[in-house]
Amino acid sequence: VNADPQSEPARLEVGLGARSYDILVGAGLLADAGTYLSGVLAAPRVVVVTDGNVAPHHLAPLEAALDAAAIQHAAIVLEAGEQTKDFSHLQDLVGKLLGQGVDRGTTLVALGGGVVGDITGFAAAIVLRGIDFVQIPTTLLAQVDSSVGGKTGINAENGKNLVGAFHQPKLVIADTETLNTLAPRELRAGYAEVVKYGLIGDRVFFDWLAENASRILNGDADARRHAVVTSCLAKADVVSEDEHEHGRRALLNLGHTFGHALEAETGFGDELLHGEAVAIGMVLAFELSARLGLCPEADAVAVRGHLQDLGLPVGLGGLKHDAWSAEILLSHMASDKKVRGGKPTFILARGIGAAFSTDDVDTGAVRALLEDALAA
Amino acid sequence: VNADPQSEPARLEVGLGARSYDILVGAGLLADAGTYLSGVLAAPRVVVVTDGNVAPHHLAPLEAALDAAAIQHAAIVLEAGEQTKDFSHLQDLVGKLLGQGVDRGTTLVALGGGVVGDITGFAAAIVLRGIDFVQIPTTLLAQVDSSVGGKTGINAENGKNLVGAFHQPKLVIADTETLNTLAPRELRAGYAEVVKYGLIGDRVFFDWLAENASRILNGDADARRHAVVTSCLAKADVVSEDEHEHGRRALLNLGHTFGHALEAETGFGDELLHGEAVAIGMVLAFELSARLGLCPEADAVAVRGHLQDLGLPVGLGGLKHDAWSAEILLSHMASDKKVRGGKPTFILARGIGAAFSTDDVDTGAVRALLEDALAA
């Protein structure tokens, strides 16, 4: 992994041999996207896939940039929202791509957040048994997490992201100016994935975030760039080492075992955004670590306090679901796709910046934690 | 690639680094399938996917073999036929697999012909972003072609096999006794893919086939074994060198550019089986090669004569489609998924055993060939 924070834009490498690619981070990169794309396209033709929320803000500037670089382009605008990540929308997208005559030299460009990136990347993985794609993430969550690392896919009736492929992009262009069009709540939710990298393995970054989080949320370009670059460096490092999540990559699921259970109960919708579920999940993971005597109580308190200060949810109290029970949440955890042989994997921590993976967690302790959280 | 024709079964290796796997070929292997599977399973649980034609013959023996090896198993029986290879059946299969609680330690077992192998392999490629699978091909076509090499997928409305993945099996078990349950026409159609290997690169094999084809079709175990082993050795060699069809693997498409155009017009159904379309396509490819002065006329005559002697179709005369035209067939060729930038690739030959790939074929010559074939 290389990074030169002095140049514009920052260029980080995800090192995966023949599948290596760069992540570009900077303010205003969309205007030069054609130039950056020209360096990675097999042929000068792309299909841009975006959604109805993103297109009004960013499609025309991207198309102008493609025109300026003499890259042929077409666009497909998906319905915005998590419900687009399903089999029928995938079939529809694949049919449109084939109908437009994509061939093995065509590159797809995913312009949008996690939903657009996930379904576009998966379509690229399976159309003609695999064509190239590029990620242009326009949400904070996508810039620091979902656009990097090649996880693509859709949801199944049985659960989220249960169908998909590992398919690495050829390039990721993270233009931090696109974050200016996000709703504050969505920006905050994405921030949960930023702080995750500090909690997993970088105490210095967590301490910097504790000082600078409000700058990130309020639009400071330098702070955003530092946050995205540091997050992407951490993710690229993990992905390079463990592309298919046989080991260390699982640490990136900090907060996700709890979080997915909450999302499953709230329907993966507006009631609880993914990043918000992860925020609660990280708080629960640190609380569990502290209860098990693995982690200083002060660290668990610091995690909760930081997220709460920013306005992120940190407990189950605000979620009004009388029918919820610890058993229901436990059953969701047991059906997570990372489960092998029935035991869910938990990411716990010995402190801020010291996360580890284990499938040897006492179910009674988890149940007690959830019962207390539900009663709070 | 290793082969020891003295041992039972023959064991060939497809060399692909960490994704290498063996092909076992022999008579009666199904009875020992549990033993062979035990060597490659991540955990002792499988889901067998088969179809309504194959299940009555081979599912119970396979289940007995799995029981004998203490391998947990469930079975999913698909509707037989090419129409099963579509998005809605894929979605249904994936839903059933997830509903049965497959996890990343579960292995899928494809028991059947090309359709079962293709959709099962593709489901394995995308469920939980990829789980293991094993091929137990029960048709000659699947044993010598589709079960080896990792091409998986489904058909799209726009064409055949346009959606899929390269996903290599962990093992291929080719039990030549399963061929005894095939209809003679289906066996003949599969034979076209056997003779293809002789035509592409092995004149000695073609000459052996010219002498021994009737033994293969009439059930001689030694002849079948030799034919399947030689075919799989040839395929394994090509796949090892060019897994994703950037170069030499394209030679395996001999007869397929013409053949796919014919299948597209006949609806991929019973009127013209895939192997029959390939037989006609190979005859046309050799005829075109001869007309272009690339190949001795005698070789084109020998190819046609051999296939005709076995009862395979070798021309367009038997296909009663008054509306067919050279232009319609040419347009199908131009939309083949291997096409980049509008030019179809043809596999031509300098003689039997000397095929080569080119995208520089005069369209006028192809049109004249098709017009003559349609008029015959």
Side-chain angles (χ1 to χ4, degrees), chain A residues 313-339:
Chain A
V314 294
L316 307 183
L319 301 163
K320 297 294 177 209
H321 286 264
D322 295 340
W324 282 19
S325 71
E327 289 309 321
I328 287 174
L329 295 174
L330 283 168
S331 75
H332 285 299
M333 293 180 197
S335 64
D336 190 280
K337 74 175 167 304
K338 284 115 192 167
V339 170

PDB file of all heavy atoms in Angstrom, chain A residues 313-339:
ATOM      1  N   PRO A 313     -27.014   6.701  17.366  1.00  0.00           N
ATOM      2  CA  PRO A 313     -27.644   5.853  18.373  1.00  0.00           C
ATOM      3  C   PRO A 313     -26.606   4.908  18.983  1.00  0.00           C
ATOM      4  O   PRO A 313     -25.731   4.409  18.273  1.00  0.00           O
ATOM      5  CB  PRO A 313     -28.704   5.081  17.593  1.00  0.00           C
ATOM      6  CG  PRO A 313     -28.204   5.049  16.198  1.00  0.00           C
ATOM      7  CD  PRO A 313     -27.460   6.356  16.002  1.00  0.00           C
ATOM      8  N   VAL A 314     -26.717   4.669  20.281  1.00  0.00           N
ATOM      9  CA  VAL A 314     -25.732   3.814  20.954  1.00  0.00           C
ATOM     10  C   VAL A 314     -26.404   2.715  21.773  1.00  0.00           C
ATOM     11  O   VAL A 314     -25.720   1.953  22.463  1.00  0.00           O
ATOM     12  CB  VAL A 314     -24.792   4.633  21.865  1.00  0.00           C
ATOM     13  CG1 VAL A 314     -23.930   5.574  21.035  1.00  0.00           C
ATOM     14  CG2 VAL A 314     -25.607   5.423  22.898  1.00  0.00           C
ATOM     15  N   GLY A 315     -27.719   2.641  21.721  1.00  0.00           N
ATOM     16  CA  GLY A 315     -28.414   1.607  22.480  1.00  0.00           C
ATOM     17  C   GLY A 315     -29.702   1.214  21.789  1.00  0.00           C
ATOM     18  O   GLY A 315     -30.034   1.745  20.724  1.00  0.00           O
ATOM     19  N   LEU A 316     -30.422   0.289  22.402  1.00  0.00           N
ATOM     20  CA  LEU A 316     -31.652  -0.209  21.800  1.00  0.00           C
ATOM     21  C   LEU A 316     -32.879   0.554  22.277  1.00  0.00           C
ATOM     22  O   LEU A 316     -33.988   0.336  21.780  1.00  0.00           O
ATOM     23  CB  LEU A 316     -31.826  -1.704  22.118  1.00  0.00           C
ATOM     24  CG  LEU A 316     -30.616  -2.584  21.767  1.00  0.00           C
ATOM     25  CD1 LEU A 316     -30.933  -4.047  22.055  1.00  0.00           C
ATOM     26  CD2 LEU A 316     -30.219  -2.404  20.311  1.00  0.00           C
ATOM     27  N   GLY A 317     -32.680   1.453  23.237  1.00  0.00           N
ATOM     28  CA  GLY A 317     -33.802   2.152  23.854  1.00  0.00           C
ATOM     29  C   GLY A 317     -34.638   2.949  22.880  1.00  0.00           C
ATOM     30  O   GLY A 317     -35.861   2.978  22.961  1.00  0.00           O
ATOM     31  N   GLY A 318     -33.973   3.585  21.927  1.00  0.00           N
ATOM     32  CA  GLY A 318     -34.701   4.432  20.989  1.00  0.00           C
ATOM     33  C   GLY A 318     -35.491   3.648  19.951  1.00  0.00           C
ATOM     34  O   GLY A 318     -36.290   4.215  19.217  1.00  0.00           O
ATOM     35  N   LEU A 319     -35.255   2.344  19.881  1.00  0.00           N
ATOM     36  CA  LEU A 319     -35.945   1.517  18.887  1.00  0.00           C
ATOM     37  C   LEU A 319     -37.163   0.891  19.546  1.00  0.00           C
ATOM     38  O   LEU A 319     -37.043   0.030  20.397  1.00  0.00           O
ATOM     39  CB  LEU A 319     -34.997   0.431  18.370  1.00  0.00           C
ATOM     40  CG  LEU A 319     -33.711   0.977  17.718  1.00  0.00           C
ATOM     41  CD1 LEU A 319     -32.657  -0.098  17.598  1.00  0.00           C
ATOM     42  CD2 LEU A 319     -34.017   1.590  16.369  1.00  0.00           C
ATOM     43  N   LYS A 320     -38.337   1.333  19.165  1.00  0.00           N
ATOM     44  CA  LYS A 320     -39.570   0.938  19.852  1.00  0.00           C
ATOM     45  C   LYS A 320     -40.119  -0.358  19.282  1.00  0.00           C
ATOM     46  O   LYS A 320     -40.928  -0.353  18.354  1.00  0.00           O
ATOM     47  CB  LYS A 320     -40.620   2.047  19.723  1.00  0.00           C
ATOM     48  CG  LYS A 320     -40.199   3.351  20.384  1.00  0.00           C
ATOM     49  CD  LYS A 320     -40.097   3.198  21.911  1.00  0.00           C
ATOM     50  CE  LYS A 320     -39.612   4.492  22.565  1.00  0.00           C
ATOM     51  NZ  LYS A 320     -38.878   4.216  23.820  1.00  0.00           N
ATOM     52  N   HIS A 321     -39.608  -1.450  19.760  1.00  0.00           N
ATOM     53  CA  HIS A 321     -40.091  -2.738  19.289  1.00  0.00           C
ATOM     54  C   HIS A 321     -40.418  -3.607  20.489  1.00  0.00           C
ATOM     55  O   HIS A 321     -39.573  -4.310  21.010  1.00  0.00           O
ATOM     56  CB  HIS A 321     -39.048  -3.426  18.407  1.00  0.00           C
ATOM     57  CG  HIS A 321     -38.945  -2.810  17.049  1.00  0.00           C
ATOM     58  ND1 HIS A 321     -39.600  -3.307  15.961  1.00  0.00           N
ATOM     59  CD2 HIS A 321     -38.296  -1.705  16.623  1.00  0.00           C
ATOM     60  CE1 HIS A 321     -39.351  -2.550  14.902  1.00  0.00           C
ATOM     61  NE2 HIS A 321     -38.562  -1.567  15.278  1.00  0.00           N
ATOM     62  N   ASP A 322     -41.668  -3.535  20.911  1.00  0.00           N
ATOM     63  CA  ASP A 322     -42.062  -4.255  22.117  1.00  0.00           C
ATOM     64  C   ASP A 322     -41.838  -5.756  21.994  1.00  0.00           C
ATOM     65  O   ASP A 322     -41.594  -6.442  22.969  1.00  0.00           O
ATOM     66  CB  ASP A 322     -43.556  -3.995  22.421  1.00  0.00           C
ATOM     67  CG  ASP A 322     -43.767  -2.523  22.765  1.00  0.00           C
ATOM     68  OD1 ASP A 322     -42.771  -1.859  23.121  1.00  0.00           O
ATOM     69  OD2 ASP A 322     -44.920  -2.060  22.678  1.00  0.00           O
ATOM     70  N   ALA A 323     -41.910  -6.248  20.729  1.00  0.00           N
ATOM     71  CA  ALA A 323     -41.835  -7.699  20.544  1.00  0.00           C
ATOM     72  C   ALA A 323     -40.397  -8.213  20.531  1.00  0.00           C
ATOM     73  O   ALA A 323     -40.166  -9.409  20.478  1.00  0.00           O
ATOM     74  CB  ALA A 323     -42.539  -8.099  19.247  1.00  0.00           C
ATOM     75  N   TRP A 324     -39.422  -7.295  20.539  1.00  0.00           N
ATOM     76  CA  TRP A 324     -38.042  -7.752  20.479  1.00  0.00           C
ATOM     77  C   TRP A 324     -37.680  -8.553  21.719  1.00  0.00           C
ATOM     78  O   TRP A 324     -38.119  -8.271  22.829  1.00  0.00           O
ATOM     79  CB  TRP A 324     -37.098  -6.563  20.388  1.00  0.00           C
ATOM     80  CG  TRP A 324     -37.025  -5.979  19.023  1.00  0.00           C
ATOM     81  CD1 TRP A 324     -37.920  -6.137  18.019  1.00  0.00           C
ATOM     82  CD2 TRP A 324     -35.992  -5.127  18.537  1.00  0.00           C
ATOM     83  NE1 TRP A 324     -37.501  -5.431  16.919  1.00  0.00           N
ATOM     84  CE2 TRP A 324     -36.330  -4.804  17.206  1.00  0.00           C
ATOM     85  CE3 TRP A 324     -34.825  -4.598  19.080  1.00  0.00           C
ATOM     86  CZ2 TRP A 324     -35.528  -3.977  16.422  1.00  0.00           C
ATOM     87  CZ3 TRP A 324     -34.022  -3.780  18.316  1.00  0.00           C
ATOM     88  CH2 TRP A 324     -34.380  -3.472  16.977  1.00  0.00           C
ATOM     89  N   SER A 325     -36.821  -9.513  21.520  1.00  0.00           N
ATOM     90  CA  SER A 325     -36.283 -10.257  22.652  1.00  0.00           C
ATOM     91  C   SER A 325     -34.847 -10.618  22.340  1.00  0.00           C
ATOM     92  O   SER A 325     -34.422 -10.599  21.178  1.00  0.00           O
ATOM     93  CB  SER A 325     -37.086 -11.543  22.872  1.00  0.00           C
ATOM     94  OG  SER A 325     -36.820 -12.454  21.830  1.00  0.00           O
ATOM     95  N   ALA A 326     -34.109 -10.925  23.374  1.00  0.00           N
ATOM     96  CA  ALA A 326     -32.725 -11.351  23.182  1.00  0.00           C
ATOM     97  C   ALA A 326     -32.679 -12.591  22.296  1.00  0.00           C
ATOM     98  O   ALA A 326     -31.788 -12.727  21.446  1.00  0.00           O
ATOM     99  CB  ALA A 326     -32.076 -11.627  24.540  1.00  0.00           C
ATOM    100  N   GLU A 327     -33.665 -13.486  22.463  1.00  0.00           N
ATOM    101  CA  GLU A 327     -33.655 -14.723  21.668  1.00  0.00           C
ATOM    102  C   GLU A 327     -33.781 -14.449  20.175  1.00  0.00           C
ATOM    103  O   GLU A 327     -33.122 -15.081  19.354  1.00  0.00           O
ATOM    104  CB  GLU A 327     -34.788 -15.665  22.124  1.00  0.00           C
ATOM    105  CG  GLU A 327     -34.574 -16.293  23.489  1.00  0.00           C
ATOM    106  CD  GLU A 327     -33.203 -16.954  23.656  1.00  0.00           C
ATOM    107  OE1 GLU A 327     -32.725 -17.591  22.689  1.00  0.00           O
ATOM    108  OE2 GLU A 327     -32.605 -16.795  24.732  1.00  0.00           O
ATOM    109  N   ILE A 328     -34.668 -13.508  19.839  1.00  0.00           N
ATOM    110  CA  ILE A 328     -34.843 -13.177  18.421  1.00  0.00           C
ATOM    111  C   ILE A 328     -33.545 -12.631  17.837  1.00  0.00           C
ATOM    112  O   ILE A 328     -33.106 -13.026  16.754  1.00  0.00           O
ATOM    113  CB  ILE A 328     -35.996 -12.152  18.257  1.00  0.00           C
ATOM    114  CG1 ILE A 328     -37.336 -12.846  18.484  1.00  0.00           C
ATOM    115  CG2 ILE A 328     -35.950 -11.492  16.882  1.00  0.00           C
ATOM    116  CD1 ILE A 328     -38.524 -11.903  18.487  1.00  0.00           C
ATOM    117  N   LEU A 329     -32.905 -11.738  18.569  1.00  0.00           N
ATOM    118  CA  LEU A 329     -31.655 -11.158  18.072  1.00  0.00           C
ATOM    119  C   LEU A 329     -30.567 -12.228  17.978  1.00  0.00           C
ATOM    120  O   LEU A 329     -29.797 -12.268  17.015  1.00  0.00           O
ATOM    121  CB  LEU A 329     -31.224 -10.005  18.984  1.00  0.00           C
ATOM    122  CG  LEU A 329     -32.194  -8.808  18.984  1.00  0.00           C
ATOM    123  CD1 LEU A 329     -31.770  -7.771  20.027  1.00  0.00           C
ATOM    124  CD2 LEU A 329     -32.253  -8.148  17.598  1.00  0.00           C
ATOM    125  N   LEU A 330     -30.522 -13.111  18.970  1.00  0.00           N
ATOM    126  CA  LEU A 330     -29.538 -14.208  18.925  1.00  0.00           C
ATOM    127  C   LEU A 330     -29.757 -15.106  17.708  1.00  0.00           C
ATOM    128  O   LEU A 330     -28.799 -15.566  17.081  1.00  0.00           O
ATOM    129  CB  LEU A 330     -29.619 -15.051  20.204  1.00  0.00           C
ATOM    130  CG  LEU A 330     -28.974 -14.445  21.453  1.00  0.00           C
ATOM    131  CD1 LEU A 330     -29.384 -15.249  22.694  1.00  0.00           C
ATOM    132  CD2 LEU A 330     -27.459 -14.400  21.327  1.00  0.00           C
ATOM    133  N   SER A 331     -31.037 -15.347  17.379  1.00  0.00           N
ATOM    134  CA  SER A 331     -31.294 -16.230  16.236  1.00  0.00           C
ATOM    135  C   SER A 331     -30.839 -15.580  14.932  1.00  0.00           C
ATOM    136  O   SER A 331     -30.362 -16.253  14.025  1.00  0.00           O
ATOM    137  CB  SER A 331     -32.774 -16.609  16.171  1.00  0.00           C
ATOM    138  OG  SER A 331     -33.542 -15.522  15.702  1.00  0.00           O
ATOM    139  N   HIS A 332     -30.958 -14.253  14.819  1.00  0.00           N
ATOM    140  CA  HIS A 332     -30.430 -13.577  13.633  1.00  0.00           C
ATOM    141  C   HIS A 332     -28.917 -13.730  13.550  1.00  0.00           C
ATOM    142  O   HIS A 332     -28.349 -13.933  12.479  1.00  0.00           O
ATOM    143  CB  HIS A 332     -30.781 -12.088  13.654  1.00  0.00           C
ATOM    144  CG  HIS A 332     -32.212 -11.811  13.321  1.00  0.00           C
ATOM    145  ND1 HIS A 332     -32.776 -12.155  12.118  1.00  0.00           N
ATOM    146  CD2 HIS A 332     -33.198 -11.219  14.042  1.00  0.00           C
ATOM    147  CE1 HIS A 332     -34.055 -11.784  12.114  1.00  0.00           C
ATOM    148  NE2 HIS A 332     -34.330 -11.219  13.267  1.00  0.00           N
ATOM    149  N   MET A 333     -28.258 -13.621  14.699  1.00  0.00           N
ATOM    150  CA  MET A 333     -26.793 -13.744  14.689  1.00  0.00           C
ATOM    151  C   MET A 333     -26.364 -15.134  14.234  1.00  0.00           C
ATOM    152  O   MET A 333     -25.369 -15.295  13.538  1.00  0.00           O
ATOM    153  CB  MET A 333     -26.230 -13.484  16.084  1.00  0.00           C
ATOM    154  CG  MET A 333     -26.424 -12.060  16.540  1.00  0.00           C
ATOM    155  SD  MET A 333     -25.746 -11.835  18.198  1.00  0.00           S
ATOM    156  CE  MET A 333     -26.561 -10.307  18.631  1.00  0.00           C
ATOM    157  N   ALA A 334     -27.132 -16.145  14.622  1.00  0.00           N
ATOM    158  CA  ALA A 334     -26.768 -17.523  14.282  1.00  0.00           C
ATOM    159  C   ALA A 334     -26.959 -17.813  12.803  1.00  0.00           C
ATOM    160  O   ALA A 334     -26.429 -18.791  12.287  1.00  0.00           O
ATOM    161  CB  ALA A 334     -27.581 -18.515  15.113  1.00  0.00           C
ATOM    162  N   SER A 335     -27.722 -16.953  12.106  1.00  0.00           N
ATOM    163  CA  SER A 335     -27.943 -17.206  10.683  1.00  0.00           C
ATOM    164  C   SER A 335     -27.137 -16.257   9.798  1.00  0.00           C
ATOM    165  O   SER A 335     -27.324 -16.215   8.593  1.00  0.00           O
ATOM    166  CB  SER A 335     -29.433 -17.086  10.348  1.00  0.00           C
ATOM    167  OG  SER A 335     -29.874 -15.766  10.561  1.00  0.00           O
ATOM    168  N   ASP A 336     -26.214 -15.520  10.396  1.00  0.00           N
ATOM    169  CA  ASP A 336     -25.335 -14.658   9.615  1.00  0.00           C
ATOM    170  C   ASP A 336     -24.522 -15.513   8.648  1.00  0.00           C
ATOM    171  O   ASP A 336     -24.169 -16.640   8.941  1.00  0.00           O
ATOM    172  CB  ASP A 336     -24.402 -13.897  10.569  1.00  0.00           C
ATOM    173  CG  ASP A 336     -23.621 -12.805   9.866  1.00  0.00           C
ATOM    174  OD1 ASP A 336     -22.611 -13.123   9.213  1.00  0.00           O
ATOM    175  OD2 ASP A 336     -24.014 -11.638   9.980  1.00  0.00           O
ATOM    176  N   LYS A 337     -24.210 -14.942   7.448  1.00  0.00           N
ATOM    177  CA  LYS A 337     -23.559 -15.783   6.435  1.00  0.00           C
ATOM    178  C   LYS A 337     -22.133 -16.156   6.799  1.00  0.00           C
ATOM    179  O   LYS A 337     -21.551 -17.061   6.208  1.00  0.00           O
ATOM    180  CB  LYS A 337     -23.586 -15.114   5.072  1.00  0.00           C
ATOM    181  CG  LYS A 337     -22.638 -13.955   4.883  1.00  0.00           C
ATOM    182  CD  LYS A 337     -22.693 -13.476   3.458  1.00  0.00           C
ATOM    183  CE  LYS A 337     -22.004 -12.117   3.300  1.00  0.00           C
ATOM    184  NZ  LYS A 337     -22.560 -11.090   4.199  1.00  0.00           N
ATOM    185  N   LYS A 338     -21.531 -15.454   7.755  1.00  0.00           N
ATOM    186  CA  LYS A 338     -20.166 -15.832   8.139  1.00  0.00           C
ATOM    187  C   LYS A 338     -20.156 -17.062   9.036  1.00  0.00           C
ATOM    188  O   LYS A 338     -19.104 -17.600   9.361  1.00  0.00           O
ATOM    189  CB  LYS A 338     -19.470 -14.676   8.867  1.00  0.00           C
ATOM    190  CG  LYS A 338     -19.006 -13.574   7.920  1.00  0.00           C
ATOM    191  CD  LYS A 338     -19.748 -12.291   8.185  1.00  0.00           C
ATOM    192  CE  LYS A 338     -19.504 -11.302   7.058  1.00  0.00           C
ATOM    193  NZ  LYS A 338     -20.451 -10.187   7.153  1.00  0.00           N
ATOM    194  N   VAL A 339     -21.349 -17.466   9.483  1.00  0.00           N
ATOM    195  CA  VAL A 339     -21.428 -18.590  10.407  1.00  0.00           C
ATOM    196  C   VAL A 339     -21.040 -19.891   9.707  1.00  0.00           C
ATOM    197  O   VAL A 339     -21.462 -20.179   8.607  1.00  0.00           O
ATOM    198  CB  VAL A 339     -22.861 -18.707  10.972  1.00  0.00           C
ATOM    199  CG1 VAL A 339     -23.024 -20.008  11.739  1.00  0.00           C
ATOM    200  CG2 VAL A 339     -23.174 -17.519  11.854  1.00  0.00           C
TER     201      VAL A 339
END
